[in-house]
Amino acid sequence: MEIYLPNPILERKTILRKYRELCRLLPPHATKQQRKLFHKAFALAVDAHKDMRRKGGEPYIYHPIAVTQIVAKEINLGVTSMIAALLHDVVEDTDYKLKDVEAMFGETVAKLVDGLTKIEDIVVDVDQSVQAENFKKILLSTVEDVRVILIKLADRLHNMRTLSALPQEKQWKISSETSFFFVPIAHRLGLYSIKSELEDLSMKYNDPTEYNKIQYALESTAEERNTLIEDFTKPIIEKLKEAGIDANVTSRTKSVYSIHQKMIRQKINFEDIYDIFAVRFVFDSPPEEEKNICWRIHTVVTELYKTNQSRERNFLTNPKPNGYQSLHITAMSKTGKWVEVQIRSQRMDEIAEKGLAAHFKYKEENKSPQEYENRVEEWLTKIRSMLKSEDTTALEFLNEVKLNLNLKEVIVFTPTGERKVLPAGATVLDFAYDLHTNLGNHCIGAKVNYNIVPIDYVLRNGDQLQIITSKKQIPKPEWITYVKTVHAREKIKEAFREEHKKKEVKGKKILAEIFASLNIENNASNIGRVQADARILSPYEFWNCIAEGTITKDRIRKIFRKKSSNTSAIDDFRKKITNHLQDKKIDTLIEEQLEKKPEVFLLDETSDVIRYVLAECCSPIPGDQVMGFQITNDTIEVHQTKCPHAIEQMSKFGNRIIKAKWREGLNLAFLSGIRVSGFDRKGMLKEIIDVVYSQMDLNIRSFDFWSKSNTFTGKLMLYIQNVKALNELIENLSKIDQVEKVERIAPE
């Protein structure tokens, strides 16, 4: 890591230079008053942060300046947003208050700054999440002014760009938050460039080994790609000139993260990905001529090269939910390699790269499609709906938001042919609630394309539905697991709340009547005595039992006739009821051990106070980069840092991350898995077994081997000491003749 040496004179010059650069980024139409306010904001930010430095040693003011540059240059927001970006940490980190910001810069800037100011990192219950609370606050501000989330994305992008200065556990926490919270938001808002960079930077810290492998592969094949692109585009450019079409040609290499995801999804190596890059033709034209020119360029490409029809994508007439428009072709180059071609206008290209911000720019010029504006507003409406639910915790809210960041959709139709768009994975029940709450509450199934299906049937594109209802049907607890949309989930919860209230009112009335008939005082103590005797912690369950007559008058009479010897047991249970929601555990054991060795928790077999368990979701072994995650007072769960489940947990509960590493020379065997595939032949199975037993001296727990036609697949579960031994095994198995692929898998 580069060491920063403070130099006050050079730093003052740098701040002045950065100020001039920011002034050049102010919009041309900025008024004299706006420019004065911007200068005032810059001076205030410099003064407020004058004694502060970042973890890397540089002046803290460099951070808000960098965020402002991203806001102006990469997201294209205006003066108000630039002022808010400069001041976004002033209230949180200095003595200035929100009222000071409002007095100097107005209500709008103050609201933006407030939305960007984190909730203090107070002590919370073990099941609460400061990260989720902060994220909820950001989105609460976003529904009023979408610029809040855009500035926050700029803030997060710069933090990720400078993450190397932080300790490793902080890197994991921040990169996990980024991939879990901010990447999907950037995706939904169409900020492709920012989304891709955030994905790559998150992977760089959560899975550095794979990141560096792919980065090296991209760098070493760059010259070959450049030659291929030049040879491929040259005849197209000549033909376009002949046709009088002026198009700018650029190429785009896939991000490291997207390449890695494709390798995992398709189970292929880097060399087997044919669309590592795309060639883009971008032209400028009036909106009414855009589609026509796109198809003319399409004609030129298809006349010169053979194309893969199954890979053609028309996003011109069917834009993506985030407003993305383009025409995609996959063409075969003269060298026998497939090349993805993207065709779009300048307006489409800017919206594709800068999303929502570019949309607002073109909206002012009446060049942005109304459909995109409707999609963004629809998403914000869903967020508003979630925020209205008072009994939804920040974590539940966060999970609901995640469900609605999915850009994949399904298009279905009502019996009258009305088109409905729902998220991919939506069910009959989602569709019913989308039409009307009563239809959802009383839904028992549907006719889909004239066939009867249950309420949890997953909808497919083109389905035509007719909802079937029954007056006797009411929402059931398992329905929550059937639905995909927040709207349906909230309506089901609302129905439960209404039912709970009815049961409570009825139960209280019945119990009051029973108490009166038995001359028992109707007070909290006596109600608690009945609840304790019934051993029911849940108030809803208790009142439901009273309302339904499960707890009878005769039973209540017997409760109050019991001898006092039972009182202590009942009192104990009543205390459990009283303390049920207040019971908090103090995390002392781990804190004590970490005080002795604050840098790292060593993983070995000798820990007598704190134990660790290996997470089944990723099955780490020595040599894997790992982190610990506190799951109880005395237990740490160990995950690979790239494990999706660990990333989700770190993004929500950063305070539970424990920096961990394997003790050197740890002499234990860990269960791991290997999948081997290739072309079958006589003796193949024996050679595989020989490598495992004779060459590597490993212990196999199980081995499945099956063949079809002339191919085979083998799956081994074995005990192994570390990643080095595992990689050696993979290398040795790969050398066997006609073995095509060997890969690590999770043990079963």
Side-chain angles (χ1 to χ4, degrees), residues 292-360:
N292 178 43
I293 296 175
C294 281
W295 286 111
R296 286 173 63 193
I297 296 174
H298 175 278
T299 301
V300 169
V301 175
T302 53
E303 284 178 350
L304 285 168
Y305 298 103
K306 291 180 180 179
T307 60
N308 184 340
Q309 294 295 320
S310 66
R311 295 284 304 163
E312 189 165 305
R313 300 288 182 267
N314 177 7
F315 297 115
L316 299 178
T317 50
N318 297 300
K320 290 183 179 181
N322 59 9
Y324 179 90
Q325 283 185 292
S326 189
L327 189 59
H328 292 193
I329 320 165
T330 301
M332 177 65 76
S333 68
K334 304 298 183 186
T335 60
K337 292 186 179 291
W338 290 106
V339 177
E340 183 180 307
V341 179
Q342 299 172 355
I343 305 167
R344 61 178 72 152
S345 69
Q346 185 66 45
R347 178 192 67 82
M348 294 174 188
D349 188 59
E350 196 163 349
I351 287 178
E353 295 299 313
K354 297 181 178 176
L356 183 67
H359 156 72
F360 283 126

Side-chain angles (χ1 to χ4, degrees), residues 298-571:
H298 175 278
T299 301
V300 169
V301 175
T302 53
E303 284 178 350
L304 285 168
Y305 298 103
K306 291 180 180 179
T307 60
N308 184 340
Q309 294 295 320
S310 66
R311 295 284 304 163
E312 189 165 305
R313 300 288 182 267
N314 177 7
F315 297 115
L316 299 178
T317 50
N318 297 300
K320 290 183 179 181
N322 59 9
Y324 179 90
Q325 283 185 292
S326 189
L327 189 59
H328 292 193
I329 320 165
T330 301
M332 177 65 76
S333 68
K334 304 298 183 186
T335 60
K337 292 186 179 291
W338 290 106
V339 177
E340 183 180 307
V341 179
Q342 299 172 355
I343 305 167
R344 61 178 72 152
S345 69
Q346 185 66 45
R347 178 192 67 82
M348 294 174 188
D349 188 59
E350 196 163 349
I351 287 178
E353 295 299 313
K354 297 181 178 176
L356 183 67
H359 156 72
F360 283 126
K361 171 187 171 183
Y362 284 104
K363 181 184 175 184
E364 290 173 4
E365 302 170 11
N366 295 317
K367 293 180 181 178
S368 190
Q370 182 67 33
E371 183 180 359
Y372 176 54
E373 183 179 351
N374 293 342
R375 294 283 182 91
V376 172
E377 183 56 37
E378 181 184 334
W379 179 69
L380 291 174
T381 300
K382 287 176 180 176
I383 302 298
R384 290 186 191 104
S385 174
M386 284 182 274
L387 288 164
K388 285 179 184 176
S389 179
E390 294 180 1
D391 63 344
T392 299
T393 67
L395 279 174
E396 288 172 334
F397 167 79
L398 183 60
N399 291 331
E400 299 287 10
V401 170
K402 283 285 290 181
L403 284 173
N404 279 276
L405 290 175
N406 184 8
L407 290 178
K408 293 180 180 178
E409 296 177 326
V410 60
I411 298 170
V412 294
F413 299 90
T414 66
T416 58
E418 184 184 353
R419 181 175 177 266
K420 292 285 181 181
V421 180
L422 293 168
T427 62
V428 162
L429 205 51
D430 284 301
F431 180 80
Y433 276 110
D434 189 71
L435 294 177
H436 198 280
T437 302
N438 280 338
L439 280 178
N441 286 341
H442 301 295
C443 179
I444 58 172
K447 283 185 180 178
V448 176
N449 307 326
Y450 307 104
N451 296 314
I452 301 291
V453 297
I455 60 175
D456 59 349
Y457 169 85
V458 178
L459 303 177
R460 293 179 292 187
N461 274 318
D463 280 346
Q464 188 170 25
L465 290 83
Q466 180 183 347
I467 298 299
I468 303 170
T469 61
S470 168
K471 290 181 180 179
K472 294 180 180 179
Q473 179 74 297
I474 60 170
K476 295 179 173 60
E478 62 267 23
W479 282 18
I480 291 288
T481 63
Y482 295 165
V483 294
K484 186 82 173 175
T485 60
V486 169
H487 176 72
R489 198 179 297 268
E490 279 303 311
K491 290 301 178 184
I492 294 168
K493 287 181 180 178
E494 191 179 290
F496 288 157
R497 286 193 291 269
E498 288 300 316
E499 188 64 24
H500 292 179
K501 286 177 185 175
K502 288 178 184 177
K503 294 287 187 184
E504 185 175 346
V505 170
K506 184 179 178 182
K508 285 181 176 179
K509 183 181 177 183
I510 290 172
L511 188 59
E513 291 172 355
I514 292 173
F515 278 170
S517 68
L518 297 173
N519 291 320
I520 298 169
E521 189 178 348
N522 186 11
N523 57 33
S525 177
N526 287 333
I527 292 171
R529 191 169 175 180
V530 176
Q531 189 175 355
D533 185 85
R535 296 292 192 269
I536 300 172
L537 283 173
S538 163
Y540 164 68
E541 237 184 283
F542 173 68
W543 291 119
N544 187 55
C545 287
I546 298 289
E548 297 295 327
T550 306
I551 301 174
T552 63
K553 179 179 178 179
D554 188 51
R555 180 175 177 179
I556 293 170
R557 181 188 291 112
K558 289 177 181 177
I559 291 169
F560 286 89
R561 282 182 181 173
K562 285 180 181 179
K563 293 180 180 179
S564 59
S565 60
N566 292 328
T567 304
S568 60
I570 291 173
D571 286 344

Side-chain angles (χ1 to χ4, degrees), residues 124-190:
V124 291
D125 185 87
V126 72
D127 291 324
Q128 287 180 291
S129 166
V130 173
Q131 289 107 303
E133 294 287 354
N134 280 314
F135 196 70
K136 185 174 182 179
K137 184 188 176 187
I138 290 168
L139 285 181
L140 184 61
S141 303
T142 296
V143 297
E144 294 181 13
D145 193 328
V146 78
R147 288 175 293 187
V148 170
I149 195 64
L150 295 173
I151 299 169
K152 186 62 186 176
L153 284 167
D155 175 46
R156 179 51 57 125
L157 179 59
H158 184 251
N159 281 333
M160 289 299 294
R161 286 173 176 173
T162 55
L163 198 57
S164 60
L166 296 183
Q168 194 172 48
E169 60 271 25
K170 285 284 187 183
Q171 293 174 354
W172 293 335
K173 173 184 175 291
I174 293 169
S175 58
S176 295
E177 285 175 5
T178 300
S179 59
F180 191 75
F181 295 158
F182 294 105
V183 165
I185 290 283
H187 193 191
R188 167 56 74 173
L189 298 179

